[in-house]
Amino acid sequence: MVMGISALLHLSFLLLLLPTVALTANINLETSMRASEDSLPWISSSGEFAFGFRKLDENPDHFLLAIWFEKVPDKTIVWSANGNDPAWRGSQVKLTNNGALVLYDPQGKESWKRPEGNSKSSSAAMQDDGNFVLLDGNSKPIWQSFKEPTDTILPGQILDMPTHLTSRRTPGNYSDGRFQFRLQDDGNLVLYPISESTESIYAPYWASGTVNTKPQLVCDKAGYIYLKETQGTNRIFNLTNVDMSPMQNFYHLARIDYDGVFRQYSYSKEEKCNLSWRTVRKYPEDICFAITGNAVTEKMCEQLCREDCFCAAAIYNGNHCWKKKYPLSNGRSSTSVNRIALLKVPKDGAFRLFEEKKDQSTLILIVSVLLGSSVFLNIFLILAIFLAVYFSYHKWLLQSFSSVSGGNLRSYTYKELEEATGGFKQVLGKGAFGTVYKGVIRSDAKRFVAVKKLDKMEHEGEREFKTEVSVIGQTHHKNLVRLLGFCDEGEHRLLVYEYMSNGSLASFLFGISRPNWNQRVQIVLGIARGLMYLHEECSTQIIHCDIKPQNILLDECFTARISDFGLAKLLLADQTRAARTGIRGTIGYFAPEWFRKATITVKVDVYSFGVMLLEIICCKSSVAFSMGNQEEEALMDWIYECYKGKQLEKLTENDEEASNDMKRVERAVKVALWCIQEDASLRPSMKKVTQMLEGVIEVSVPPYPWNLVPLQVLVFIVNELFVIVHKES
Ligand SMILES: *[C@@H]1O[C@H](CO)[C@@H](O)[C@H](O)[C@H]1NC(C)=O
Ligand SMILES: *[C@@H]1O[C@H](CO)[C@@H](O)[C@H](O)[C@H]1NC(C)=O
Ligand SMILES: *[C@@H]1O[C@H](CO)[C@@H](O)[C@H](O)[C@H]1NC(C)=O
């Protein structure tokens, strides 16, 4: 009996451990890890830091071997081994039998190794301070990431001179960027721009002025950064001259950023919303004025740019010259700036002529090779192409399966979900595809979930379900509701999502208390970014097809999260038919293409977004508006009339906050009117929409959105629906 209970306890203990990540403070020889999404990183014993592979945004097959803050939601990277040389999927990092930490490419070739000499470690550890160490038999470090920094320093890190940090290329590109933070041989701490082509350094734009000293750069355990004499405790120079927030409530780091500014950041562990790294101190104070160009005349400035084939423009301020290359970035406007911009433009036709000639000769070459080769060679070529396509298709099939079974998604049994939802009792909502229930997964720290029970599907096979689920599972964005797992048992098909505590945008927007204008602006930006991600940034493009306030959920911080994406394809092989029969969504949000035999593209989502944007601006539901209005005027027409008649204040009546921000209101209305253009090709992409809303690019005057008289459109829609409803019943 006693034995039985203890065995049971053991079992439940093991079960508790299973879904969490194994904490590996010490790594033994022969331990290895592969570069893929589902490889488990090596985590420090407190769980604060992790060492492992991180997928890079630009290429889904590129991985960075890195150290990051495991508990910060965006998993901020603080160190990397191979920023200039990303590892391909399938690469492996291993603490070898010889006591070296080695990164192998997928062919097994060594591409990075520490320690570089012949010394051997007998174990490794990911420490709680963010330092990854290789230890000898006496637990003394023989190599540590703290002594080989990339662009970041952490509390507890001490650097001896000479040493340097190099900025990244861009926030998401970890290859060497254009700025360096150096502690030089002469004791001076200096910020330098580096030449891209020659890697030589230009004149410094900031220096501590501590020449002829012998300092160490210290970031102490409380996060204060200073230069101190190597021998002794005397501080020579304080970089942190403000009070740091206490370590128990804050994370700290300092980094030479891609824009050349050395910033010290802190991050609150306690705040739940509006999470971000906040700048505590920065050097130089204003980078725009810190970097001085060459002192020259205007004529010389022009000449400098002409001679440099990377130079696209030069800025001249009367005695200094700044050369700029594409893409021009990080600009800012200020009334106090008085400078001349010299732009380089190609001589007319010079480039085109060159390129045309090249294209033609390539074409001729290819054609002559094809014509000149023997019949056998052609057959061989066709066979080779066929085999290549066949194998890559199979590889793709395998991949999509393995990422469903492994990966970040959990597979649940029907029974588990029945228990989690208490027998499918509490209904959260009913959508086009099925009903959503509230549940709680007991094994997962009592996490609330939303379980969507999908309606019976007709033609869908096993493979389609798995493929679609794996595609949805691979989309991660802070403005999308995250899929946690699924259940696929016979006819039971369920999806398990994060639970969103603040309900849907529909109830928030059209409820009793109107959300404030700034909150609405943030929500709009969030939706735009989420849609942009679905359309342009995730590996498989996803058209949502059903954007409306009911499908936008709000999390505990009132961040907008798009739900129900990726389902159109999953449930209705013939999604076009579905929309055309009006099963899904409300008519008002449907783009005109749905009612014609036109191709469905991402622009249908842009249209629906536009309608919703108008609703968010004036907190009015387009459906309720046309029903409650005597003249049966549509919300869209009313807003267009207000815009044309320069009476936008009518939209924001009784909304003081919005009335005081009419510039932004007008911009949002203009963007919305572009989005609801009847001609899909006139509608902007979601990327452009986001940029216009952010104020990054100008919004031109939108044309009248409809080709047809609006009333006719309405009749047309109603007729079509009417016919179809008859057919269905
Ligand atoms: C990062 O930028 C460099 C230089 O522009 C480029 O060569 C490299 O391909 C980029 N890396 C990635 C992962 O895109
Ligand atoms: C740096 O700060 C410490 C602690 O606030 C102070 O004792 C020291 O005098 C400062 N040193 C310099 C050079 O400013
Ligand atoms: C969120 O943080 C930003 C910048 O740190 C601040 O400007 C903004 O007011 C904060 N918003 C809220 C709701 O606290």
Side-chain angles (χ1 to χ4, degrees):
M1 182 65 194
V2 174
M3 283 276 287
I5 287 176
S6 84
L8 211 69
L9 277 176
H10 260 101
L11 194 68
S12 57
F13 183 65
L14 274 178
L15 284 178
L16 271 178
L17 275 183
L18 271 179
T20 63
V21 192
L23 298 180
T24 35
N26 261 296
I27 296 117
N28 296 323
L29 298 185
E30 289 289 295
T31 311
S32 67
M33 182 189 343
R34 282 218 179 263
S36 79
E37 290 85 359
D38 31 320
S39 68
L40 292 180
W42 297 336
I43 310 250
S44 73
S45 56
S46 66
E48 299 281 10
F49 285 95
F51 176 95
F53 287 104
R54 286 283 293 273
K55 195 161 86 172
L56 289 169
D57 287 340
E58 287 98 349
N59 184 335
D61 287 322
H62 275 172
F63 288 80
L64 189 70
L65 184 61
I67 297 173
W68 62 87
F69 276 99
E70 175 67 11
K71 291 188 177 172
V72 171
D74 75 355
K75 311 226 168 193
T76 315
I77 290 178
V78 295
W79 180 88
S80 63
N82 59 335
N84 288 324
D85 186 16
W88 287 92
R89 177 183 296 280
S91 299
Q92 190 185 30
V93 65
K94 186 171 182 183
L95 188 61
T96 64
N97 217 1
N98 290 333
L101 185 68
V102 184
L103 176 61
Y104 297 101
D105 71 11
Q107 284 75 42
K109 213 177 120 233
E110 208 175 282
S111 63
W112 181 87
K113 176 175 174 252
R114 292 294 181 276
E116 283 173 303
N118 284 326
S119 40
K120 293 178 178 177
S121 65
S122 49
S123 70
M126 180 69 251
Q127 295 184 171
D128 283 333
D129 55 1
N131 193 7
F132 190 85
V133 291
L134 298 179
L135 303 164
D136 67 11
N138 302 320
S139 295
K140 283 235 172 64
I142 56 168
W143 177 83
Q144 40 186 321
S145 62
F146 266 17
K147 294 288 180 203
E148 198 181 318
T150 45
D151 60 355
T152 304
I153 48 177
L154 292 169
Q157 193 161 355
I158 298 174
L159 295 170
D160 297 306
M161 65 177 203
T163 184
H164 66 265
L165 309 178
T166 305
S167 73
R168 307 172 185 165
R169 174 61 56 132
T170 64
N173 181 331
Y174 293 82
S175 65
D176 285 348
R178 309 191 342 235
F179 302 95
Q180 259 181 19
F181 174 91
R182 284 185 177 225
L183 181 56
Q184 302 184 141
D185 278 328
D186 62 0
N188 208 2
L189 185 64
V190 188
L191 287 169
Y192 285 112
I194 337 174
S195 157
E196 285 195 32
S197 34
T198 64
E199 290 183 15
S200 59
I201 51 180
Y202 291 125
Y205 53 94
W206 181 85
S208 63
T210 49
V211 276
N212 297 328
T213 57
K214 284 206 181 333
Q216 276 180 323
L217 180 72
V218 179
C219 181
D220 72 13
K221 294 243 157 70
Y224 290 86
I225 303 177
Y226 49 85
L227 293 176
K228 105 173 177 21
E229 279 177 354
T230 304
Q231 315 287 337
T233 56
N234 189 24
R235 292 190 192 182
I236 303 167
F237 186 87
N238 288 325
L239 275 100
T240 316
N241 52 6
V242 290
D243 283 339
M244 294 300 289
S245 326
M247 283 290 282
Q248 62 265 33
N249 308 339
F250 287 84
Y251 296 115
H252 298 296
L253 70 80
R255 184 169 65 205
I256 170 88
D257 280 318
Y258 75 103
D259 58 0
V261 181
F262 180 76
R263 292 187 182 83
Q264 200 171 354
Y265 292 99
S266 68
Y267 186 103
S268 167
K269 298 181 191 179
E270 278 156 4
E271 252 173 69
K272 286 201 101 174
C273 297
N274 202 13
L275 292 167
S276 66
W277 286 97
R278 307 247 156 91
T279 307
V280 175
R281 184 78 178 88
K282 59 179 177 178
Y283 294 93
E285 226 10 273
D286 188 341
I287 186 83
C288 289
F289 290 97
I291 299 189
T292 55
N294 308 330
V296 291
T297 64
E298 187 182 331
K299 200 84 209 134
M300 282 162 81
C301 185
E302 192 186 315
Q303 195 57 32
L304 280 170
C305 189
R306 270 182 201 285
E307 285 168 0
D308 184 343
C309 56
F310 286 111
C311 179
I315 309 293
Y316 185 66
N317 76 339
N319 48 42
H320 286 103
C321 180
W322 291 268
K323 292 190 293 183
K324 309 276 176 194
K325 66 167 226 175
Y326 282 126
L328 301 172
S329 57
N330 293 324
R332 65 162 204 184
S333 61
S334 160
T335 49
S336 64
V337 174
N338 185 13
R339 293 174 180 181
I340 298 166
L342 304 160
L343 302 179
K344 197 191 251 178
V345 288
K347 273 194 186 155
D348 193 38
F351 287 106
R352 267 211 356 242
L353 201 70
F354 176 71
E355 278 174 8
E356 260 170 21
K357 218 169 142 191
K358 189 176 138 206
D359 280 2
Q360 236 170 33
S361 59
T362 330
L363 192 69
I364 291 168
L365 188 71
I366 291 172
V367 169
S368 57
V369 164
L370 280 179
L371 288 179
S373 57
S374 70
V375 177
F376 280 115
L377 189 61
N378 277 336
I379 291 177
F380 176 75
L381 269 176
I382 291 168
L383 211 77
I385 292 169
F386 173 77
L387 284 177
V389 167
Y390 179 81
F391 280 114
S392 58
Y393 177 69
H394 266 250
K395 199 175 145 215
W396 173 79
L397 266 187
L398 279 176
Q399 265 175 8
S400 56
F401 267 98
S402 64
S403 49
V404 167
S405 47
N408 306 316
L409 291 183
R410 219 187 122 181
S411 166
Y412 293 92
T413 62
Y414 185 72
K415 197 155 177 294
E416 262 180 295
L417 295 181
E418 198 170 21
E419 276 167 20
T421 54
F424 300 103
K425 278 221 177 75
Q426 194 181 346
V427 176
L428 290 172
K430 260 194 165 68
F433 304 125
T435 311
V436 187
Y437 302 89
K438 186 173 176 176
V440 57
I441 305 283
R442 268 168 241 292
S443 61
D444 194 0
K446 300 226 159 154
R447 180 177 200 167
F448 284 112
V449 291
V451 179
K452 180 164 211 144
K453 211 171 169 186
L454 299 177
D455 292 337
K456 224 173 132 192
M457 286 172 273
E458 287 163 38
H459 321 288
E460 291 303 311
E462 191 71 9
R463 197 185 67 76
E464 281 88 347
F465 181 75
K466 284 215 186 329
T467 314
E468 290 302 320
V469 164
S470 92
V471 168
I472 302 171
Q474 278 169 24
T475 52
H476 297 296
H477 189 272
K478 65 181 227 178
N479 296 110
L480 300 179
V481 175
R482 182 143 177 210
L483 183 68
L484 302 171
F486 62 96
C487 163
D488 184 15
E489 270 182 24
E491 63 182 76
H492 297 304
R493 283 177 173 176
L494 299 96
L495 297 172
V496 182
Y497 289 100
E498 300 174 282
Y499 172 72
M500 296 288 122
S501 55
N502 278 313
S504 80
L505 177 62
S507 53
F508 185 53
L509 203 57
F510 312 134
I512 305 155
S513 62
R514 196 208 294 255
N516 74 44
W517 171 241
N518 278 328
Q519 235 169 353
R520 269 143 59 210
V521 168
Q522 290 312 316
I523 287 172
V524 163
L525 282 172
I527 303 167
R529 288 178 190 135
L531 268 180
M532 175 170 88
Y533 173 83
L534 289 178
H535 289 179
E536 294 176 35
E537 289 168 3
C538 58
S539 39
T540 314
Q541 184 186 61
I542 296 177
I543 308 179
H544 190 292
C545 295
D546 203 10
I547 287 292
K548 56 182 178 184
Q550 289 76 8
N551 278 338
I552 309 296
L553 304 181
L554 299 167
D555 67 12
E556 56 182 357
C557 302
F558 288 95
T559 305
R561 310 273 293 256
I562 301 171
S563 76
D564 260 10
F565 54 88
L567 290 181
K569 230 164 141 193
L570 169 63
L571 284 145
L572 303 150
D574 189 357
Q575 56 175 311
T576 337
R577 181 195 67 99
R580 284 179 185 147
T581 52
I583 294 171
R584 319 181 31 229
T586 319
I587 320 163
Y589 303 100
F590 274 139
E593 295 94 289
W594 290 110
F595 308 101
R596 302 183 184 146
K597 303 278 170 276
T599 321
I600 299 304
T601 67
V602 288
K603 294 293 178 70
V604 300
D605 287 347
V606 177
Y607 182 93
S608 313
F609 174 82
V611 177
M612 198 164 68
L613 176 52
L614 292 176
E615 295 180 320
I616 297 175
I617 293 168
C618 44
C619 281
K620 286 188 169 77
S621 145
S622 59
V623 180
F625 186 87
S626 40
M627 288 213 255
N629 205 300
Q630 299 262 315
E631 291 102 40
E632 293 195 342
E633 192 182 24
L635 179 71
M636 294 185 258
D637 298 309
W638 179 64
I639 292 182
Y640 184 78
E641 290 311 319
C642 292
Y643 168 71
K644 235 180 79 193
K646 300 203 184 315
Q647 291 181 310
L648 280 182
E649 62 283 351
K650 273 193 186 170
L651 308 188
T652 56
E653 262 170 22
N654 311 325
D655 187 345
E656 199 182 331
E657 214 183 340
S659 305
N660 291 334
D661 195 8
M662 283 318 284
K663 245 184 143 158
R664 189 130 67 153
V665 172
E666 186 185 342
R667 189 164 64 210
V669 169
K670 275 158 75 179
V671 172
L673 291 173
W674 274 111
C675 292
I676 60 168
Q677 291 294 317
E678 190 175 332
D679 179 354
S681 66
L682 289 179
R683 291 174 217 151
S685 68
M686 277 320 291
K687 181 166 188 175
K688 197 156 176 213
V689 167
T690 312
Q691 288 172 331
M692 290 192 286
L693 289 170
E694 283 169 344
V696 179
I697 53 177
E698 286 299 314
V699 194
S700 49
V701 175
Y704 182 67
W706 303 279
N707 298 330
L708 298 165
V709 181
L711 198 65
Q712 278 179 334
V713 177
L714 201 69
V715 169
F716 171 67
I717 293 171
V718 168
N719 276 343
E720 180 128 0
L721 273 178
F722 188 70
V723 170
I724 284 149
V725 167
H726 262 261
K727 258 195 226 157
E728 299 263 302
S729 59

